[in-house]
Amino acid sequence: MAIAAVAVIAAPAPAVAAPKEKKEVDCTQVKCLALTFDDGPSKYAGKLLDILKKHDAKATFFLQGQYVKSRPSFVKRMVKEGHGIGNHSYSHPDFTKADAGKIRSEIKKTNDAIKKAAGVEPKLLRPPYGLSDLQVSDIAAEFGMPIVLWTGGSRDWESRDVEKIKKQTMSVVKGDAIILMHDWVKQTVDAMPAIIKTLQRNGYHLVTVDDIIKHQDLKPGDAFPLPEGWEN
Ligand code: NI
C-alpha cells in the first residue's frame, strides 16, 4: 500500500482527472485478461461489483434478459462502473435446438431489457452453453453482434468450491484470456478478491472483452475464440 501511495504522489497531476471508468488499456502493450460472468445479474452481483470496484478491475457480464428485468439496478451499475455488457439470451434455451423466431425473440427481448435498464444496447452475443451453429451465427449477424465465447473456464458451476475455483481459474490464465465464470455461484464471488489480487500481482490488467477483441476485426456473426472446426 505504501509503495502504491508514493507512486500516486510522484505522478504528475493531470489538469483534469479522467474518470476511472474511461481509463484506456492498450492490450497490445500490456498483459490483459477478461473475466466474464454469465447468466446474471444474480443476487450476488452487488457484492461482486463492490469487489471489482475495490480492486479497480473491469469485467464483462453476459446477462439473461429475465434477470435484467428483475434486477435492473445492477445492470445500471455495471454500465456506470465501466464494465462490459453482453447478451446471453432471455431465458437460456439451447439456441442450436431452437427455431429462428425463438432465437430472434430471445436476443431482442434481452437487448430491449438492457436498454431499458441501463440505456445501452449490448454489442456482443454469448449463446447459452456457448452453443452455436450457422443459424445462430446468421441471426447474430442480423443483430450486428459478434459471438464471444471463452478461452478457459473456472468450472465454478461444477465444483462450487472456493479453492477449486481459484485453482482451476489460475490454470487457464494466459495473455488475452477470456475466462468464463458465473455470478450466481456464491463461491465464485467469495473467491474473487484472491483471484484478482493474484492476477494483478502477476501483471495482468483486468479489462472488458471489448478491450481484448478490439484488435480482432470481428464482423457481426463471427465467433471468437473460434470453436473447433469453425471458420469466420
Ligand atoms: Ni449460461
Side-chain angles (χ1 to χ4, degrees), residues 38-39 88 92:
D38 278 17
D39 303 342
H88 191 52
H92 215 269

Side-chain angles (χ1 to χ4, degrees), residues 1-13:
M1 282 314 284
I3 292 166
V6 169
V8 169
I9 291 162

